[in-house]
Amino acid sequence: MSENPIAGPLSADELDIWAPVATLLERLPTALDAQLQRDSGLTHFEHGILYALDSAPDRTLRLSILAGYASCTLSRLSRAVSRLEAKGWVRRATDPTDGRFTLGILTPSGHDKVAESTPAHHALVRELVFESLTAAQRRQLRMISQRISAAIGPDESWRPPTLERP
């Protein structure tokens, strides 16, 4: 982060870069939510929870770990998990190794929901993000995103279990 948090207004060049980034930050989540809601009755946030649990060993994660992956408060995660529990896709249990923690456990029907919702979601991500960029631009996007994320704070983001690199 900048040493001087009150550095003045953005320059014209900075605004030329920031305006499309800000627009992307608003439009992409809206497009992802719309597709998932329409096709699967899930928000992007809920799908991310189900997907992370589906990818975890034994389809189980501590809710505190899951909240870190989702960059959200435990309160927000708890509300989402309650909605997913009501649909029978997730259940909670006390962590048997440390009773201070609660586990989120993907149910078999939750796994089925992930399997049903993921292909169309990935197709939209591929269409909106990857197909609009060259291979070099995709690599640049990864590096740029990692640098901005690092500037925000420590990286506790979720990663797929097998990360394939080009």
Side-chain angles (χ1 to χ4, degrees):
M1 293 225 178
S2 170
E3 290 183 29
N4 181 1
I6 307 174
L10 296 177
S11 69
D13 286 341
E14 289 169 328
L15 281 172
D16 282 346
I17 296 166
W18 176 244
V21 170
T23 299
L24 171 67
L25 292 172
E26 295 297 326
R27 293 184 69 198
L28 185 58
T30 300
L32 297 174
D33 261 343
Q35 178 273 316
L36 281 164
Q37 284 280 3
R38 180 187 66 243
D39 295 348
S40 304
L42 291 168
T43 65
H44 186 248
F45 184 69
E46 291 167 340
H47 182 268
I49 292 168
L50 295 176
Y51 193 84
L53 287 171
D54 196 53
S55 302
D58 300 321
R59 296 187 174 131
T60 301
L61 285 171
R62 284 183 175 172
L63 293 186
S64 56
I65 300 293
L66 190 53
Y69 291 164
S71 296
C72 70
T73 64
L74 274 172
S75 177
R76 179 180 183 210
L77 179 66
S78 182
R79 288 189 302 275
V81 168
S82 292
R83 290 189 303 272
L84 297 171
E85 275 183 306
K87 295 176 182 180
W89 298 332
V90 173
R91 68 179 181 85
R92 292 181 226 221
T94 301
D95 187 337
T97 64
D98 189 336
R100 297 173 296 170
F101 295 98
T102 301
L103 300 174
I105 303 164
L106 191 69
T107 66
S109 62
H111 168 72
D112 292 345
K113 188 63 171 179
V114 173
E116 173 243 313
S117 62
T118 298
H121 175 63
H122 284 181
L124 182 63
V125 169
R126 189 169 287 114
E127 175 190 340
L128 296 179
V129 178
F130 299 111
E131 290 176 3
S132 64
L133 301 173
T134 66
Q137 289 170 327
R138 290 190 297 267
R139 288 189 297 276
Q140 289 172 334
L141 179 61
R142 180 179 62 225
M143 291 186 307
I144 291 166
S145 298
Q146 289 170 337
R147 290 195 67 165
I148 293 171
S149 291
I152 293 168
D155 184 11
E156 295 187 25
S157 61
W158 177 85
R159 285 187 177 39
T162 55
L163 190 58
E164 296 178 22
R165 299 277 182 184

